[in-house]
Amino acid sequence: MSAKKTLRQAAALALAGMLTLAGCSGPGAAASGKDASSLLDPADPVQIELWTYYNGTQQQAFESLVDEFNATQGKSVGVVVTSSSQGGVNDLAAAVTGSAQELVGYADMPDAFLSYPDTASLVDSFGRVADLSGYLTDEQKDRYVEAFLAEGDLDGTGSLKVFPVAKSTETFQMNLTDWRVFADATGSTLDELATVEGIVTVSQRYYEWTDAQTPDVPNDGRAFFGRDALTNYLVTGAKQLGHEVLSVRDGRIELDLDRATMKALWDNYYVPMVQGWFSSEGKFRSDAVKTGDLLSYVGSSSSVVYFPQTVTVDDQTSYPIEVIALPAPTFESGVPCAPQQGAGFVVTKADERTECACVEFLTWFTAKEQNAGFAVKAGYLPVTKEAIEPEFLKDVALSLGDSSRNYAETLPAALETMDAGLYRTFPTPKGNEARSVLGKSLFDRAAQDRAAVRAQIEAGADPAQAVAAFLDESVFDAWLADLKMQLEAVVA
């Protein structure tokens, strides 16, 4: 065993002792806590099962820390953790909600699972979620970023039903290598990309510039920009403009589909989409960046770990690229606002000993060194005040070598976005469904109508004439009316 590994394990064991003395307090004793040895016994370890949606790099980083916990703190206090990925976010949510209702064909509930607040709220409505607020001392709670901890208070009573482990927001990410060529030729600047409207202007310019590169092939301009999450755009964009599309009052979702606000959102996504300036190709927009079909997108700051380092045009053509990240764009007349994202762990309601074992793992996992290491490898922001320091995170990223190069280079944009203002909707059992309807409505309509425009152009129609019918106000009004009807059906 290396000296570095030995020192790391010694530090982890020391931290285990500190947390055992200070934490895992029983419910109702949050100020002072009680010794975890009254609940946990190394000679009779508690086995806990965790479900995640982590895959690839994130899953590897998480499982490595699970192994480390089991060999260090877990061994010393009597906790053994096993974990498994249930697929994607939606797969995990479906598995958990089915298990919570004890439906036929579903496995028993795990001891803890990754969840976004809306899913946690739904599971909580079945009486299956533990409140962890009493298991942490006030001093322990103060170590966490307040907004991250507050997101776990599902009922507004000071509860902690979603334990924060890693967070993200959205950033603007771009292929800097190809941007430089375009910017030099057209005089475009990075400053233009700070606003939603500026991105539309640059996207039109890029489409026209790329189209002009092949004068013998008309109408082959390329898209400049895309968005990974249309729901985030609609929710935070509306909030920037002074309205909350989805809000919660007395446990019920309320709608605010202000026409002027929704029209601004439409004009700055649907309109450039149907004209080919934006694109929604690929499962994620980074897929199109990898093939050179897209230059930039707004997506989760954690997606930087998947941002390609090479553009592969075809079997014969590929070249390396650099990435640049900028803070999430804001409407020119809007107040900066970006989504607060990132699932936390929900502990299934159980006996006090099992709940305490889960908290032991979660407090260890979110301690400075462990949480920062996981966050950097997985592309997330850590959740404690001492771990989210820029210089510390940059040092961690640089220590991990080329695999975390993108993280180090894009971290400032994520932190600047966070500092400017994050926003989250209050969780409700119907929140996931309402958010899904909201994003899918605009995504599907824009993609469908862009395909119709392309089909007309390929059939010989004039591009301006082909798109004209889709830019009529009546198209927007029909979409808004349909969206309202769908959302009202959900929240009824």
Side-chain angles (χ1 to χ4, degrees):
M1 181 180 294
S2 68
K4 184 176 181 180
K5 180 71 171 180
T6 301
L7 287 172
R8 182 173 176 81
Q9 291 195 348
L13 284 167
L15 179 62
M18 292 168 58
L19 292 176
T20 298
L21 292 173
C24 206
S25 54
S32 59
K34 64 180 181 180
D35 194 336
S37 62
S38 64
L39 294 170
L40 302 176
D41 181 1
D44 182 24
V46 180
Q47 296 196 16
I48 57 174
E49 180 185 12
L50 311 181
W51 284 1
T52 77
Y53 60 76
Y54 294 142
N55 288 283
T57 300
Q58 295 173 344
Q59 183 178 9
Q60 293 171 12
F62 182 75
E63 290 181 347
S64 176
L65 282 171
V66 167
D67 291 342
E68 184 176 337
F69 171 82
N70 287 337
T72 55
Q73 182 178 348
K75 185 176 182 179
S76 71
V77 300
V79 179
V80 177
V81 177
T82 59
S83 70
S84 61
S85 174
Q86 301 300 303
V89 174
N90 294 334
D91 298 320
L92 175 56
V96 166
T97 53
S99 297
Q101 298 172 82
E102 299 181 343
L103 299 180
V104 175
Y106 285 87
D108 292 338
M109 287 280 286
D111 298 297
F113 55 93
L114 272 180
S115 176
Y116 284 92
D118 283 332
T119 298
S121 180
L122 178 59
V123 176
D124 190 36
S125 72
F126 304 137
R128 303 300 301 272
V129 175
D131 179 3
L132 305 180
S133 59
Y135 286 98
L136 299 180
T137 65
D138 290 339
E139 181 182 357
Q140 284 178 302
K141 291 176 183 177
D142 191 54
R143 297 173 187 170
Y144 295 86
V145 175
E146 185 177 356
F148 296 166
L149 202 65
E151 190 172 23
D153 182 10
L154 298 182
D155 49 21
T157 63
S159 65
L160 178 57
K161 295 186 175 181
V162 184
F163 197 110
V165 293
K167 291 295 179 181
S168 65
T169 182
E170 285 190 331
T171 54
F172 175 93
Q173 300 175 36
M174 183 170 66
N175 168 352
L176 180 61
T177 303
D178 288 333
W179 161 265
R180 289 189 180 120
V181 177
F182 163 66
D184 288 345
T186 62
S188 301
T189 67
L190 294 177
D191 289 343
E192 293 180 273
L193 305 175
T195 66
V196 173
E197 294 90 343
I199 289 174
V200 174
T201 298
V202 171
S203 297
Q204 178 181 2
R205 189 184 306 147
Y206 181 76
Y207 181 90
E208 293 170 351
W209 179 75
T210 52
D211 187 25
Q213 304 304 300
T214 54
D216 55 327
V217 183
N219 307 316
D220 67 337
R222 296 198 299 276
F224 174 79
F225 177 77
R227 286 185 178 271
D228 269 347
L230 265 292
T231 299
N232 285 344
Y233 167 65
L234 291 166
V235 169
T236 60
K239 180 66 175 177
Q240 289 174 15
L241 297 172
H243 292 268
E244 289 189 279
V245 175
L246 302 174
S247 60
V248 178
R249 179 175 297 179
D250 298 328
R252 291 177 56 85
I253 297 175
E254 293 191 349
L255 305 177
D256 181 1
L257 301 178
D258 175 74
R259 189 182 188 282
T261 298
M262 300 306 291
K263 185 63 163 58
L265 293 164
W266 173 271
D267 287 344
N268 287 281
Y269 182 79
Y270 174 90
V271 171
M273 263 291 298
V274 296
Q275 297 183 90
W277 311 342
F278 286 9
S279 170
S280 60
E281 298 297 323
K283 182 177 181 181
F284 299 104
R285 306 297 82 78
S286 58
D287 296 337
V289 173
K290 187 173 184 178
T291 59
D293 293 319
L294 199 64
L295 220 60
S296 65
Y297 66 92
V298 164
S300 172
S301 55
S302 66
S303 71
V304 69
V305 297
Y306 302 107
F307 195 95
Q309 297 187 9
T310 302
V311 165
T312 303
V313 179
D314 53 42
D315 292 339
Q316 287 77 39
T317 308
S318 65
Y319 54 92
I321 59 172
E322 297 177 61
V323 61
I324 185 174
L326 304 174
T330 301
F331 278 94
E332 290 174 354
S333 61
V335 177
C337 166
Q340 178 173 302
Q341 300 184 140
F345 269 100
V346 173
V347 174
T348 303
K349 188 176 289 186
D351 59 88
E352 193 177 49
R353 189 166 179 256
T354 301
E355 292 177 3
C356 182
C358 292
V359 173
E360 282 295 320
F361 171 72
L362 294 172
T363 51
W364 179 88
F365 181 65
T366 53
K368 182 178 180 180
E369 297 294 335
Q370 291 88 266
N371 201 212
F374 170 77
V376 170
K377 290 177 183 176
Y380 288 109
L381 297 171
V383 295
T384 62
K385 297 170 186 175
E386 61 177 355
I388 206 169
E389 288 295 323
E391 289 305 315
F392 171 68
L393 284 177
K394 184 177 180 181
D395 288 344
V396 172
L398 293 176
S399 72
L400 295 174
D402 287 345
S403 62
S404 296
R405 183 184 67 188
N406 281 1
Y407 186 97
E409 293 178 353
T410 61
L411 174 64
L415 294 177
E416 187 175 337
T417 298
M418 189 179 95
D419 289 343
L422 297 182
Y423 174 74
R424 61 182 176 88
T425 54
F426 200 83
T428 172
K430 293 185 176 181
N432 274 342
E433 188 177 354
R435 289 174 60 85
S436 177
V437 166
L438 186 62
K440 191 174 186 298
S441 174
L442 182 57
F443 182 91
D444 287 353
R445 186 58 187 265
Q448 169 190 311
D449 289 356
R450 175 55 187 167
V453 170
R454 292 176 65 176
Q456 290 184 39
I457 293 173
E458 290 170 2
D462 176 76
Q465 292 180 348
V467 78
F470 296 94
L471 302 182
D472 191 88
E473 289 260 323
S474 62
V475 178
F476 163 73
D477 286 327
W479 168 75
L480 185 60
D482 181 64
L483 174 63
K484 183 179 180 182
M485 181 179 66
Q486 291 186 61
L487 286 174
E488 287 177 342
V490 171
V491 305

